[in-house]
Amino acid sequence: NQSRSSSQPRREGGGCLNLNKLLLAGNLTRDPEMRYTPKGSAICGFGLAVNRKWKTETGDEKEEVTFVDVTAFGKQAEVIAQYLKKGNPLFLEGRLKLDQWDDKQTGKRQQKLCVVLESFQFLPRGEKQQAAPKPKITAVDIPELPPGVAEKLNNEDDVPF
């Protein structure tokens, strides 16, 4: 019996394959908003804009932007709130979560698909280039975390789920 990491797909009852994992790279759309649970667990919310560019069959260049709400917990939340602000690039790994609530004004059930952050890496800020291709980001280009931050991230506790 082998143990599985949380990133491996699992077959649940009936043999159905279940996997909820995504990778995103984009820019923060607003400064991270930090709050704490009554028990003191850190929660950080922020928006991420993810751009997609492509060419149509006629050769026209198209671009779309997807805006995603992200929530981080624990030490990761604190690090993001401390070191990132609106406009900063970020690479993250996470999972989808459906938030549901009743609208207080209409009484109707509302829902929103969000991302729960599981891990992240700071990305270097790209410089605006005129008509030049964007440089590809490689592992060598990604800066190290500030001293002591990696150790704090590995000692997470009191996560509310």
Side-chain angles (χ1 to χ4, degrees):
N1 188 5
Q2 284 184 313
S3 67
R4 294 180 193 237
S5 77
S6 63
S7 64
Q8 292 180 329
R10 289 191 311 260
R11 291 198 185 270
E12 308 242 347
C16 182
L17 181 65
N18 292 284
L19 177 65
N20 184 356
K21 185 69 69 178
L22 54 95
L23 304 172
L24 296 173
N27 295 316
L28 272 66
T29 60
R30 61 184 185 271
D31 288 343
E33 299 168 8
M34 190 70 171
R35 65 185 195 276
Y36 291 88
T37 66
K39 291 187 176 183
S41 295
I43 302 173
C44 178
F46 59 94
L48 194 72
V50 181
N51 297 308
R52 174 179 173 247
K53 293 182 182 182
W54 74 96
K55 286 190 179 181
T56 65
E57 292 176 2
T58 61
D60 294 333
E61 288 190 12
K62 296 282 187 171
E63 181 176 359
E64 71 179 13
V65 181
T66 301
F67 297 97
V68 182
D69 285 327
V70 182
T71 304
F73 295 92
K75 300 290 186 202
Q76 291 180 329
E78 293 172 342
V79 170
I80 286 171
Q82 181 178 357
Y83 292 103
L84 294 179
K85 62 181 181 177
K86 180 180 178 178
N88 287 143
L90 183 69
F91 172 80
L92 68 84
E93 181 176 346
R95 61 182 167 83
L96 294 174
K97 180 178 182 289
L98 184 65
D99 286 340
Q100 299 180 354
W101 68 96
D102 293 322
D103 187 295
K104 292 179 181 178
Q105 293 180 346
T106 65
K108 290 185 180 180
R109 190 79 172 151
Q110 301 290 319
Q111 58 185 21
K112 180 177 170 181
L113 201 55
C114 301
V115 173
V116 175
L117 182 134
E118 293 179 348
S119 65
F120 71 93
Q121 288 185 334
F122 296 120
L123 293 176
R125 285 192 79 109
E127 300 214 7
K128 298 279 184 196
Q129 296 179 350
Q130 205 75 10
K134 291 183 178 178
K136 292 191 177 193
I137 297 172
T138 65
V140 175
D141 296 324
I142 300 171
E144 293 291 321
L145 289 172
V149 172
E151 293 79 22
K152 288 180 182 177
L153 292 175
N154 289 331
N155 294 325
E156 281 194 51
D157 56 0
D158 199 22
V159 176
F161 57 90

